[in-house]
Amino acid sequence: MKSWPETCSTSSAPARRLTVWRKSLLFNSHGYTVFDDADGRIVFRVDNYAHDWRRHTLLMDSHGNVLLTIRRCRSNILNLRESWEVYEGDEDTQTMSKDERLRPLFKATKHLGSSSCTISMFADHGSVKSLGGYRMSWSREKEWAKIYQADPNTLVAEVSRKYGSSKNLLDKDVLALTVHPGMDQALTMAMIMITNLMSGW
């Protein structure tokens, strides 16, 4: 599985706790700003100006370097599945030819009406060999989402509404994200963004 050393903890390290604000710091932009609870620094940014931001978006580090491209797959009106693909770096699949186009790092697929989706990870940018996958589930009513490694069925990340110091829920756009040891934070954040788009919570 692809990982970035600065965003992936070792299996012996404690869980990383992040605050996800579903807002961009830039004016009139849709996106996310993610803070590390340990020191308050910005870990990830998502700043969207384009009208199609719900179909194509970029996950960046705090300096604006693109880590991942998140893109919704095209579907026809009879398709009962919703799928998203995630690519390494700034992958503009709209302007590249089929031969030039990189293969995705992973693909998330949800069936119509389901409150969960499956994630297929790929070796060598989408080669036939699969690296296994993950499963995401969520509850719109209880406002949480969880990511499990498919084999074994192990919880690797979870997100929910964040509580303030007075034990009161903060604004609905402020989430508490816990990433368990060994799970990459950038890939986790991409999965959480896809979950938000799939579930609408």
Side-chain angles (χ1 to χ4, degrees):
M1 181 180 69
K2 172 68 179 179
S3 65
W4 291 263
E6 65 275 14
T7 67
C8 186
S9 60
T10 64
S11 58
S12 61
R16 297 295 297 272
R17 302 188 185 280
L18 308 173
T19 295
V20 179
W21 186 38
R22 291 186 288 190
K23 299 284 185 181
S24 170
L25 292 177
L26 301 183
F27 178 73
N28 202 28
S29 171
H30 303 280
Y32 294 79
T33 308
V34 183
F35 304 89
D36 190 325
D37 285 4
D39 53 20
R41 65 186 175 87
I42 295 177
V43 182
F44 302 116
R45 291 168 39 198
V46 177
D47 304 314
N48 292 306
Y49 292 101
H51 69 279
D52 63 344
W53 63 273
R54 291 185 180 275
R55 302 187 64 87
H56 182 275
T57 190
L58 306 174
L59 177 67
M60 301 179 290
D61 64 16
S62 59
H63 303 292
N65 301 308
V66 177
L67 301 176
L68 298 170
T69 295
I70 303 163
R71 182 177 64 86
R72 184 172 184 173
C73 301
R74 293 180 179 177
S75 60
N76 58 54
I77 193 169
L78 298 178
N79 196 336
L80 300 180
R81 295 186 300 175
E82 177 182 344
S83 297
W84 291 78
E85 292 176 339
V86 174
Y87 299 83
E88 181 182 356
D90 188 355
E91 176 70 357
D92 188 353
T93 58
Q94 303 300 319
T95 60
M96 299 175 69
S97 70
K98 185 175 181 180
D99 292 335
E100 294 173 324
R101 195 175 300 167
L102 290 176
R103 301 291 184 175
L105 291 173
F106 71 81
K107 184 174 184 177
T109 302
K110 181 182 82 72
H111 291 276
L112 183 66
S114 175
S115 59
S116 66
C117 74
T118 57
I119 298 174
S120 300
M121 307 294 299
F122 300 103
D124 300 324
H125 299 290
S127 65
V128 175
K129 180 181 178 182
S130 174
L131 293 178
Y134 295 84
R135 175 176 58 85
M136 294 193 295
S137 60
W138 56 81
S139 171
R140 291 186 62 182
E141 293 76 19
K142 297 182 179 180
E143 298 177 306
W144 57 258
K146 297 181 180 181
I147 302 172
Y148 296 88
Q149 188 173 359
D151 187 21
N153 188 32
T154 304
L155 180 67
V156 295
E158 50 192 319
V159 64
S160 61
R161 290 276 301 277
K162 187 177 180 69
Y163 285 86
S165 56
S166 60
K167 305 301 181 182
N168 293 324
L169 279 173
L170 300 178
D171 184 83
K172 62 182 179 65
D173 287 323
V174 182
L175 308 177
L177 171 61
T178 300
V179 183
H180 294 284
M183 182 63 181
D184 185 86
Q185 297 169 56
L187 294 180
T188 299
M189 189 59 206
M191 294 177 190
I192 293 300
M193 291 165 63
I194 291 172
T195 298
N196 280 188
L197 289 164
M198 285 182 168
S199 65
W201 72 275

